Amino acid sequence: MTATSRLLPTLDEREALAWARGRDPARADASGDAGPSPEAVRAILEEVRHGGDEALLRLAARHDGGVPAALRVPVERCHRALEGLDPDRRAALELARDNLVRWHEAQRRSEPPLEVLPGVSTWREFRPIRRVGLYAPGGRAAYPSSLLMAAVPARVAGCGEVVACSPAGPSGEPAEAVLAAAALAGVDEMYAVGGAHALAALAYGTESIAPVDKIFGPGGSWVNAAKRALFDTVAVDLPAGPSEIVVWTRPDADADLAAAELVAQAEHGPDSRCALVVDGEANAGVFADAGAFADAVRAKIEERVGRLPGERRAVAAASLRRGAAVIARYGTDAAAWIDEVAPEHLAIHGAGATARLDLVSNAGAVFLGERT
């Protein structure tokens, strides 16, 4: 096996199977982050439960990377952030918002009653949640897309109050792009607080933040641990993460685009799971040099990671050292390995992407084609 100091090491068959099943002791602790203990998370939750706003500010100063100028960010401030956003970036966020509206509008539904016995009818009703709390990560990088993906469906569903939290940076406020996304999505209340303490505020309430009925949105290990700890107090969507991607590609594809997919997920955290699987079936079914293509992707990954700013470079590198490159002779072999991983994200690059999807049973979000 390639040394674990190398980004995206190539694994042999036995190692690849262990990686797919989450049992890879050689790199299990390479991130250096075992995650928070339940006791540490519970201590934060209780501190907010009993200390309210004062505890939130204290914890924000300790954990968020910046002291909030004020817990609540005025809606007008979010609109100013939107007005000041770079035009190209604003256009991209508006396009994302509009696509999300169309997608979620199509999922609105009602079901007619079914008479299961004479005079006995059953039906399901879909009603909006009264007050929802949304979490947008903002520690190592800003994720306005995360806020849009939570806030837009809440608005489409007709939720009465949409509340969002994101950690303050050195400026004392969440990132400008996150504030702009809040304005675009019609968020009612925006708060400059992150981490487990933000979820405690949403669940228990403080002097400034009224409790919500359900919490949505991704986060790091502390946020996910807080969701699990708060499960008996407030409804939560799911403990998301760590982020995970498999890029299934072929030697006829673009090595740099495959690298871009992998680095984008690796930046999420040192525990992100990133894998490249290359099969050697070319357009005419002739075996090609999949190993050489994997080396080309790895070279592009190293170039891209090298261009990242310091902390993000370290995070992405830690993730990719724990990643995997797998060489498969045929597409069926690649698909069988992907089914073992059951990845959160699957990107299929190269010839015949749509047809190859039919070979896969276990995947979350699938992206067909190199530019999807």
Side-chain angles (χ1 to χ4, degrees), residues 32-43:
D33 180 12
S37 68
E39 294 76 17
V41 173
R42 177 55 64 185

Side-chain angles (χ1 to χ4, degrees), residues 9-273:
T10 299
L11 308 185
D12 63 27
E13 184 176 353
R14 178 187 60 81
E15 294 163 339
L17 187 59
W19 194 98
R21 294 175 176 174
R23 299 193 297 269
D24 190 6
R27 288 182 299 283
D29 60 353
S31 71
D33 180 12
S37 68
E39 294 76 17
V41 173
R42 177 55 64 185
I44 288 176
L45 301 181
E46 289 301 310
E47 189 171 348
V48 175
R49 184 178 190 178
H50 297 291
D53 286 354
E54 184 180 343
L56 273 183
L57 291 168
R58 185 167 58 246
L59 288 161
R62 192 185 308 162
H63 297 291
D64 286 356
V67 180
L71 285 174
R72 185 160 182 169
V73 180
V75 172
E76 296 78 13
R77 173 68 182 89
C78 296
H79 284 282
R80 288 201 305 274
L82 179 61
E83 292 302 319
L85 204 61
D86 172 79
D88 289 341
R89 197 170 196 189
R90 176 169 179 166
L93 290 177
E94 287 174 340
L95 177 63
R97 187 265 321 270
D98 294 345
N99 287 341
L100 286 163
V101 169
R102 284 193 290 270
W103 171 252
H104 289 287
E105 284 282 6
Q107 295 180 64
R108 291 176 63 93
R109 66 190 190 276
S110 61
E111 297 179 359
L114 174 67
E115 190 173 42
V116 294
L117 291 170
V120 178
S121 294
T122 61
W123 66 93
R124 293 193 299 175
E125 293 187 7
F126 302 89
R127 298 183 180 182
I129 299 170
R130 182 188 61 84
R131 180 175 170 86
V132 294
L134 313 178
Y135 188 80
R140 297 183 177 95
Y143 296 99
S145 57
S146 292
L147 185 53
L148 287 180
M149 286 187 283
V152 169
R155 278 294 172 226
V156 171
C159 295
E161 299 172 5
V162 179
V163 183
C165 291
S166 191
S171 68
E173 294 179 325
E176 289 287 306
V178 171
L179 297 180
L184 270 179
V187 168
D188 296 305
E189 302 170 27
M190 184 77 210
Y191 295 97
V193 63
H197 38 298
L199 267 67
L202 294 173
Y204 299 127
T206 70
E207 296 90 336
S208 296
I209 306 175
V212 302
D213 301 310
K214 189 168 183 177
I215 297 173
F216 296 84
S221 57
W222 287 84
V223 168
N224 288 324
K227 283 185 178 182
R228 289 190 288 268
L230 291 166
F231 193 76
D232 60 350
T233 300
V234 64
V236 299
D237 53 354
L238 76 166
S243 190
E244 182 179 60
I245 187 169
V246 170
V247 177
W248 178 11
T249 187
R250 286 180 168 174
D252 64 333
D254 187 319
D256 191 45
L257 289 177
E261 294 272 17
L262 291 157
V263 173
Q265 294 299 321
E267 288 183 284
H268 282 240
D271 57 350
S272 295
R273 283 168 55 85

Side-chain angles (χ1 to χ4, degrees), residues 262-347:
L262 291 157
V263 173
Q265 294 299 321
E267 288 183 284
H268 282 240
D271 57 350
S272 295
R273 283 168 55 85
C274 302
L276 173 75
V277 57
V278 187
D279 75 66
E281 291 191 82
N283 292 339
V286 178
F287 183 73
D289 192 352
F293 184 77
D295 287 340
V297 174
R298 189 180 291 110
K300 292 295 185 180
I301 287 172
E302 290 171 353
E303 288 179 16
R304 285 181 170 273
V305 170
R307 293 197 297 266
L308 293 174
E311 184 181 5
R312 288 169 65 190
R313 184 189 311 128
V315 168
S319 168
L320 290 162
R321 280 194 293 270
R322 300 173 62 244
V326 176
I327 310 303
R329 187 173 180 87
Y330 300 109
T332 50
D333 299 330
W337 187 79
I338 290 165
D339 275 343
E340 285 286 348
V341 178
E344 175 193 12
H345 302 96
L346 171 63

